[in-house]
Amino acid sequence: GDSVTQMEGPVTLSEEAFLTINCTYTATGYPSLFWYVQYPGEGLQLLLKATKADDKGSNKGFEATYRKETTSFHLEKGSVQVSDSAVYFCALKPLNQGGKLIFGQGTELSVKP
Amino acid sequence: EAGVAQSPRYKIIEKRQSVAFWCNPISGHATLYWYQQILGQGPKLLIQFQNNGVVDDSQLPKDRFSAERLKGVDSTLKIQPAKLEDSAVYLCASSLERQNYGYTFGSGTRLTVV
């Protein structure tokens, strides 16, 4: 079945460092891909999305490109801030399955000043 | 725009007891989802409603879990009887349409079964 695999955390970086969180997926056809962020004590928030191959989603300095050939959707940010500390979830929306999301296990990011 | 409201925020119960969670979606959102998030894992869909009809409940443990959405607005998720492995955060989300890309999640209810 469809699934999402993320790199394990926690990831600890210094402020202004470059961030990459790897995400690969298994799915039939062309699912939509998402990154969600969960700050401590809060619900999941949509960070960015891509709906077809080669699309690039971006928001708040974060980017991810939908790579069909490598079935990947890696999250990147050029310069992280302490306020980016959170848990990041990669997710896919399978085709024709009513809108449900399938999530990866999450990657915790901790940014130190 | 008000967000998705959930209550309670926290609940501690003993195994074999029953518990209920409540969700009020964003006004006008036809689709409502309940997800279970076990510590260290990503959320997993339990049930999806379109208005007050069930679209997908294939991963809902129906021997102990039940959910309803009266009048296509508020929803209640119930567990009876609870097991230790039900300890998790229960997230409610809503969206305008079934295929809409924009989910809005509530803050969740953290359930601890002891």
Side-chain angles (χ1 to χ4, degrees):
Chain A
D2 297 346
S3 65
V4 176
T5 302
Q6 293 180 231
M7 64 185 287
E8 288 196 16
V11 174
T12 302
L13 297 174
S14 297
E15 206 165 22
E16 299 183 2
F18 185 86
L19 168 71
T20 299
I21 300 178
N22 291 337
C23 170
T24 57
Y25 68 90
T26 301
T28 302
Y30 292 83
S32 297
L33 300 173
F34 305 82
W35 277 100
Y36 280 82
V37 58
Q38 189 171 37
Y39 298 101
E42 298 184 17
L44 290 159
Q45 300 175 26
L46 177 64
L47 182 59
L48 54 85
K49 68 179 188 288
T51 58
K52 60 184 186 294
D54 299 325
D55 264 4
K56 177 184 284 188
S58 61
N59 186 25
K60 299 181 181 179
F62 291 89
E63 294 183 339
T65 301
Y66 190 142
R67 301 288 188 198
K68 180 65 177 176
E69 62 276 13
T70 54
T71 62
S72 65
F73 193 55
H74 304 322
L75 183 68
E76 297 182 336
K77 187 175 186 182
S79 176
V80 294
Q81 305 300 312
V82 172
S83 57
D84 294 326
S85 298
V87 181
Y88 293 81
F89 291 91
C90 186
L92 69 83
K93 182 176 289 190
L95 292 176
N96 303 319
Q97 291 193 31
K100 74 176 182 183
L101 291 172
I102 296 173
F103 287 87
Q105 77 272 27
T107 302
E108 182 181 358
L109 170 66
S110 177
V111 180
K112 306 298 184 184
Chain B
E1 174 180 78
V4 175
Q6 290 189 247
S7 67
R9 284 299 306 271
Y10 305 93
K11 190 74 176 179
I12 301 174
I13 62 171
E14 295 183 350
K15 60 184 178 184
R16 291 187 290 274
Q17 285 188 324
S18 63
V19 64
F21 313 125
W22 174 81
C23 173
N24 180 236
I26 291 174
S27 178
H29 279 197
T31 307
L32 185 146
Y33 309 82
W34 282 102
Y35 282 80
Q36 180 192 56
Q37 185 178 11
I38 294 172
L39 185 65
Q41 300 181 18
K44 182 185 77 173
L45 180 70
L46 291 175
I47 189 167
Q48 176 185 345
F49 292 93
Q50 180 75 11
N51 296 308
N52 60 349
V54 175
V55 173
D56 183 353
D57 63 356
S58 57
Q59 297 193 79
L60 187 74
K62 299 181 186 62
D63 57 333
R64 298 183 301 106
F65 285 66
S66 64
E68 60 181 7
R69 189 180 184 197
L70 298 176
K71 301 181 181 178
V73 183
D74 292 6
S75 178
T76 303
L77 177 69
K78 297 179 181 178
I79 307 175
Q80 182 179 14
K83 293 185 176 181
L84 295 177
E85 59 261 34
D86 298 332
S87 294
V89 175
Y90 291 85
L91 294 165
C92 181
S94 69
S95 66
L96 278 169
E97 301 171 0
R98 184 187 303 183
Q99 298 298 332
N100 190 289
Y101 299 114
Y103 273 40
T104 302
F105 280 89
S107 298
T109 296
R110 181 177 297 278
L111 172 68
T112 302
V113 182
V114 298

